[in-house]
């Protein structure tokens, strides 16, 4: 039986539940509660301006998601319709899809830390020196281009409704792991799922914690692919080069601005390429290498003088 091809209009008419929208009041209430508790306990977990900036970033991001919803649906539907197979729309399809999406979220997340171009879409989530539930709102306004990493989910044949619901669940899962108040959980949970302990490591700028624990819902991918790091010492949050600003626009675009500046200052296509796509943690090292190469003096041309034999000197009348 040939698979029925879907259109964007058909999917939109299915009235998909906006789980994130329903959960928003609960999340905002929990942020306020955590803020009040930390204030009363005199914990330095919150910064008022930082939290306001995160909230503004979050609301704008929701608006952007709504504005480009048709384009997002169109991309997923195009690739879903491209393949002749499909996975039945059943309860177990949601389980499989959740795992498959999480696998690709791991790689999308990892690439976003190991490639400067993609880091520019993600750095907003990390440029706070605080770690609390409001940090989960800090999703960069250009992060939506990462939809290309989820094309394999559509190619697997998961129904678009299954895809979008599972993707919302994955995004919502990220909320609760951004807190200092939940410490270590029972070992089976810590072994399989991403927990606040794992994610605190991920948000840290301590040397031993850099580029670790990319797992979204499941931490098993980090264990499999060698990027797992348990929480040991207290995390210092933020990025290695702090951004001293609360301006939401700047927080979302400062890395893009730096990339453009570095490209303009590049002396070759190779340097421009490296400035755009190098690993962020290696950026200063690469800049220094290019700077040293430019600073090297050209080899000095030393005139070669032919040595004259002493006998020939005398015969030619050349004095010693």
């Amino acid at each position: 039986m040939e698979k029925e091809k879907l259109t964007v209009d058909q999917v939109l008419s299915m009235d998909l539940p906006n789980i994130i929208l329903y959960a928003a009041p609960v999340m905002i209430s929990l942020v306020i509660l955590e803020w009040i508790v930390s204030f009363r306990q005199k914990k330095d977990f919150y910064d008022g301006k930082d939290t306001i900036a995160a909230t503004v970033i979050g609301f704008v991001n929701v608006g952007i998601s709504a504005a480009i919803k048709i384009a997002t649906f169109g991309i997923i539907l195009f690739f879903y319709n491209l393949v002749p197979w499909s996975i039945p729309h059943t309860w177990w399809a949601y389980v499989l899809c959740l795992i498959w999406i999480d696998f690709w979220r791991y790689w999308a997340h990892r690439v976003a830390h190991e490639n400067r171009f993609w880091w520019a879409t993600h750095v907003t989530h990390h440029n706070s020196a605080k770690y609390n539930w409001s940090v989960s709102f800090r999703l960069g306004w250009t992060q939506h281009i990462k939809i290309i990493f989820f094309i394999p989910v559509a190619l697997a044949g998961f129904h678009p409704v299954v895809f979008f619901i599972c993707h919302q669940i994955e995004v919502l899962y990220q909320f609760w792991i951004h807190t200092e108040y939940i410490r270590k959980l029972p070992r089976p949970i810590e072994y399989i799922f991403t927990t606040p302990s794992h994610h605190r490591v991920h948000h840290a700028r301590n040397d031993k914690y850099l580029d670790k624990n990319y797992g979204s819902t499941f931490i098993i991918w980090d264990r499999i692919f060698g990027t797992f790091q348990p929480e040991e010492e207290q995390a210092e949050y933020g990025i290695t080069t702090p951004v001293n600003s609360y301006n939401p626009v700047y927080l979302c675009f400062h890395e893009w601005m730096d990339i453009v500046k570095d490209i303009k200052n590049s002396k070759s296509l190779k340097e421009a390429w490296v400035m755009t796509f190098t690993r962020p943690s290696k950026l200063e090292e690469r800049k220094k290498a290019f700077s040293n190469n430019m600073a090297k003096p050209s080899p000095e041309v030393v005139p070669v003088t032919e040595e004259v034999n002493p006998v020939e000197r005398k015969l030619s009348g050349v004095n010693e």
Side-chain angles (χ1 to χ4, degrees):
M1 182 177 177
E2 188 177 351
K3 182 178 78 172
E4 177 190 2
K5 293 191 176 182
L6 300 172
T7 65
V8 174
D9 289 338
Q10 284 177 302
V11 175
L12 290 175
S13 66
M14 292 175 185
D15 193 25
L16 297 176
N18 194 330
I19 302 174
I20 295 176
L21 189 62
Y22 297 149
V26 177
M27 292 190 293
I28 293 172
S29 298
L30 287 172
V31 167
I32 294 172
L33 177 62
E34 186 185 43
W35 194 348
I36 292 171
V37 171
S38 64
F39 177 77
R40 288 187 173 181
Q41 294 181 347
K42 297 182 179 180
K43 303 281 190 182
D44 190 27
F45 295 164
Y46 273 84
D47 176 313
K49 292 180 180 179
D50 184 78
T51 301
I52 291 171
T55 304
V56 171
I57 290 170
F59 277 127
V60 173
N61 192 58
V62 170
I64 293 173
S65 297
I68 65 172
K69 182 168 72 171
I70 292 177
T72 304
F73 281 20
I75 292 170
I76 296 302
L77 280 176
F78 175 81
F79 289 98
Y80 171 77
N81 289 330
L82 198 64
V83 295
W85 55 80
S86 64
I87 295 174
H89 190 172
T90 60
W91 68 267
W92 51 262
Y94 286 88
V95 177
L96 291 179
C97 188
L98 199 68
I99 295 171
W100 191 224
I101 284 180
D102 200 70
F103 173 79
W104 288 104
R105 281 180 67 88
Y106 167 85
W107 285 108
H109 197 180
R110 181 168 177 173
V111 170
H113 277 260
E114 298 179 0
N115 181 293
R116 193 186 184 194
F117 175 86
W118 294 103
W119 173 239
T121 71
H122 183 59
V123 65
T124 310
H125 186 61
H126 284 269
N127 54 26
S128 172
K130 302 298 180 181
Y131 192 76
N132 53 61
W133 277 331
S134 76
V135 172
S136 64
F137 301 160
R138 301 172 71 106
L139 299 175
W141 298 341
T142 57
Q143 54 110 15
H144 300 279
I145 64 175
K146 288 192 286 187
I147 187 69
I148 66 170
F149 288 99
F150 303 107
I151 289 174
V153 181
L155 291 175
F158 287 105
H159 193 282
V161 171
V162 177
F163 171 86
F164 288 113
I165 290 178
C166 287
H167 191 267
Q168 287 185 78
I169 292 172
E170 286 276 316
V171 172
L172 277 179
Y173 186 92
Q174 298 302 296
F175 174 77
W176 79 279
I177 60 178
H178 290 87
T179 184
E180 290 275 14
Y181 279 108
I182 301 174
R183 306 310 295 180
K184 294 278 187 177
L185 295 173
R187 289 183 66 183
I189 296 175
E190 291 281 342
Y191 191 82
I192 298 172
F193 295 96
T194 300
T195 66
S197 175
H198 300 145
H199 210 59
R200 283 192 291 270
V201 168
H202 177 70
H203 271 260
R205 56 190 176 92
N206 311 47
D207 287 341
K208 70 187 299 183
Y209 288 165
L210 289 177
D211 298 337
K212 300 293 183 181
N213 297 1
Y214 298 115
S216 185
T217 297
F218 301 109
I219 200 67
I220 53 173
W221 310 123
D222 290 282
R223 297 184 186 279
I224 292 171
F225 297 113
T227 52
F228 177 71
Q229 169 64 47
E231 184 179 34
E232 295 171 350
E233 61 195 50
Q234 175 59 39
E236 296 177 13
Y237 301 112
I239 53 179
T240 53
T241 304
V243 180
N244 299 314
S245 174
Y246 296 111
N247 184 326
V249 176
Y250 185 75
L251 291 172
C252 287
F253 293 103
H254 68 87
E255 188 66 23
W256 290 113
M257 294 161 60
D258 288 345
I259 289 175
V260 171
K261 183 172 69 175
D262 287 339
I263 290 174
K264 285 183 177 179
N265 292 334
S266 296
K267 301 299 187 293
S268 65
L269 286 175
K270 179 182 178 181
E271 184 178 357
W273 177 271
V274 170
M275 290 300 102
T276 305
F277 298 107
T278 192
R279 192 182 186 117
S281 60
K282 300 290 185 183
L283 178 61
E284 294 307 317
E285 179 182 322
R286 295 297 179 87
K287 283 185 177 182
K288 188 175 180 181
F290 277 108
S291 178
N292 288 341
N293 286 338
M294 291 300 298
K296 282 182 180 179
S298 300
E300 186 177 348
V301 178
V302 180
V304 178
T305 55
E306 185 178 355
E307 185 178 352
V308 181
N309 185 287
V311 177
E312 293 177 343
R313 282 173 179 264
K314 290 181 179 181
L315 291 175
S316 61
V318 178
N319 294 324
E320 290 285 337

